[in-house]
Amino acid sequence: PSVLPLLVKSPYFNSWLPKDASNANSNPDYGQLAPVAWNGRTLGLIGIARVDNQTWQWQGSEGPSITISKVLTRDTFITPTRTILTLEAGPVLLNVTYLSPIDPVHLYFFLVREPPCTYLSVDVWSNDGHPHSVQLYCDLTGEWVSSANSSFVAWNTTQTNNSLYSEMFRTVSVQMAEIDDLAEDGTIYLATTTTTGDELGTETIDRYALSANTFFLNLSANTFISFWPVNAISQDLGTVTETSSSAVWSIGFVRDPVIQFDLSGTPKGRSYCYNSVFQTPNDTVDAVVEGFQKALDTSITLDYKIMSEAGAISQDHADLVALSLRQTIGATDLTISKGSDGLWNTSDIQMFMKDIGNGGRVNPVDTMYASFPAFLYINASLAGFLLRPLLEAQTSSQYTNLYAAPDLGSSYPNAQVNKSDTEILAVENCGNMLIMVLAHAQKSGDGSLISEFEPLLRTWADYLVTHSLHPDGYVTTDGLNFTDMSNLALKGIIGIFAMSKINSALEPRGAKKHDTDYYQSIAVSYAQQWGNLSFMSNSSSPYISTTYGGSSWGLMYNLYASTLLNSNL
């Protein structure tokens, strides 16, 4: 791939390793490249190994000004939760693993016990059969906490009973704001369980110290604007032929509040769910550091399941899934609110998605629809947490449109009711929302959303009854605006069918059967008409036309929704 996912956990904790753009056909030495954010901005992460007093750089393009050897990339391996690089550093091999853990089974753990943290681990074994003295070093620069090179940053170092960690942050944070798509109100953490030393200072001092065989100066906390301040932690593995356990660094990026959600004209901050469990940063870091093995084991199990099932379709499909899962989950933040009593409201869990790369929209309906199968697969309850903010916004007094909104505004992390005139996208968005709400109920067994928001869903279904069979004047999420687009009409028809199933599920709670029959009969009738209008059977090679009666040059991807909902239309 053109980029490798590294530490990918949230919209603002999202790092990748690109190939050398100047030589795209070369076999890249990934250990010599600098991680970047999705937009290409450098995120300083340096890894150095000292092997028998010779230094090797295994991560990053910057380093000490003195001579340092470069590792060679021997292998790369990508799974849905891990990127693994096998690097040769003279007489030893380094297995460097970037883990972005996902725990789909233990939903409680996923929600409240999993801060936006990742793991970087290194395993070492001899390349020549002889034991070697090995020390490892890792640092993070201030580029993780500010895109403004003129920003002042500060840090703290803390030793607990179970961990050593350093934290870095802007001295004056800018709340709920971005510069160059990077949050300016976050704190980056670097932690481990055991270390041989630590140093917080400038990159020149830190990296030179290790490469020059002088371990650490133990500088006190300070504030730097120049020389790229770094958080650095080293680990001395001693003399090894093969490590019995990994050298592990826990890396996390946290913000509080995570997002502001404005339903009534007064924005309210929401925090990460783990805050309801852990009382202090020490508690949180200890839990993350101690949880490495569980996170790794769970992720390996998930990787095997996903790759086996995707590989049964094709290896190409499995490769795409391996690249995309972290990107999907890493576009979201799981949040919780506080009640009027100041206590965490554990019944109010909501997920927010950033439309990364497309203007920063909040909970973009089209992007959610495209990624929805991933959430249903990982744990269908997550899909409900993602839908709820949109549903709540459109039942507020601020929203008066008779069709579904496309998002919660255009400026993540500031969510608000989108009251703008977006009717040109109404068939697409109404269909998307009805399909997703039903899919969530079917896959999770949780009927709370269809019950609570039934009047809103019915309004959207009625809109589709009027406008979906011949969606003239409407635009697809792809930006197409032709007359009688088959794929767009199909989206609306399946949305009407979804309403029939929603109403049927609510009949035990008082919904009328004749309403179920009404939406069902319209969906069936429209589906039959759609087939007659779009299916060109008199051709030597029958096909579904892109526009009624025309040629075929588009992918009818909305057929997937019919299969997902078991519509049998």
Side-chain angles (χ1 to χ4, degrees), residues 341-358:
D341 56 3
L343 301 178
W344 295 110
N345 183 359
T346 55
S347 64
D348 179 27
I349 296 173
Q350 297 185 7
M351 177 182 277
F352 293 87
M353 174 183 284
K354 181 182 180 183
D355 195 11
I356 296 177
N358 288 299

Side-chain angles (χ1 to χ4, degrees), residues 290-491:
E290 294 168 1
F292 166 71
Q293 194 59 51
K294 173 181 171 58
L296 178 61
D297 293 344
T298 302
S299 296
I300 290 174
T301 300
L302 178 63
D303 286 341
Y304 178 79
K305 180 176 184 292
I306 292 175
M307 296 300 283
S308 297
E309 294 176 355
I313 297 173
S314 73
Q315 186 57 50
D316 286 345
H317 182 65
D319 292 342
L320 287 172
V321 169
L323 279 171
S324 63
L325 183 61
R326 271 174 286 182
Q327 186 175 5
T328 300
I329 301 298
T332 64
D333 283 315
L334 267 168
T335 69
I336 192 172
S337 67
K338 279 187 175 180
S340 57
D341 56 3
L343 301 178
W344 295 110
N345 183 359
T346 55
S347 64
D348 179 27
I349 296 173
Q350 297 185 7
M351 177 182 277
F352 293 87
M353 174 183 284
K354 181 182 180 183
D355 195 11
I356 296 177
N358 288 299
R361 295 159 59 212
V362 185
N363 284 38
V365 172
D366 52 350
T367 306
M368 284 171 51
Y369 180 79
S371 63
F372 215 64
F375 294 101
L376 295 176
Y377 182 93
I378 293 298
N379 192 306
S381 294
L382 298 175
F385 299 140
L386 191 58
L387 288 167
R388 177 168 283 279
L390 282 160
L391 296 169
E392 286 189 354
Q394 292 168 87
T395 52
S396 73
S397 59
Q398 293 190 64
Y399 195 79
T400 58
N401 294 334
L402 298 178
Y403 49 84
D407 51 50
L408 292 174
S410 59
S411 300
Y412 203 96
N414 298 286
Q416 60 186 2
V417 179
N418 186 347
K419 300 172 286 185
S420 58
D421 180 1
T422 56
E423 190 166 7
I424 197 171
L425 291 165
V427 173
E428 186 84 64
N429 291 326
C430 288
N432 285 343
M433 289 299 295
L434 286 162
I435 290 166
M436 288 191 289
V437 169
L438 176 60
H440 162 255
Q442 287 181 336
K443 302 302 181 182
S444 69
D446 177 5
S448 59
L449 293 184
I450 63 173
S451 178
E452 182 177 351
F453 298 103
E454 183 272 337
L456 179 65
L457 302 175
R458 183 181 301 275
T459 298
W460 295 340
D462 290 342
Y463 187 95
L464 292 176
V465 169
T466 303
H467 299 284
S468 63
L469 184 58
H470 293 280
D472 301 337
Y474 292 92
V475 175
T476 70
T477 191
D478 307 306
L480 304 178
N481 60 351
F482 300 99
T483 299
D484 285 339
M485 290 180 286
S486 300
N487 200 40
L488 182 58
L490 182 61
K491 174 75 67 66

Side-chain angles (χ1 to χ4, degrees), residues 46-48 58 136-139 206-207 210 216 232-234 249:
I46 294 295
I48 297 173
W58 51 266
L136 300 174
Y137 165 99
C138 178
D139 75 35
D206 278 356
R207 297 165 186 170
L210 181 63
F216 288 108
I233 295 179
S234 69
W249 293 267

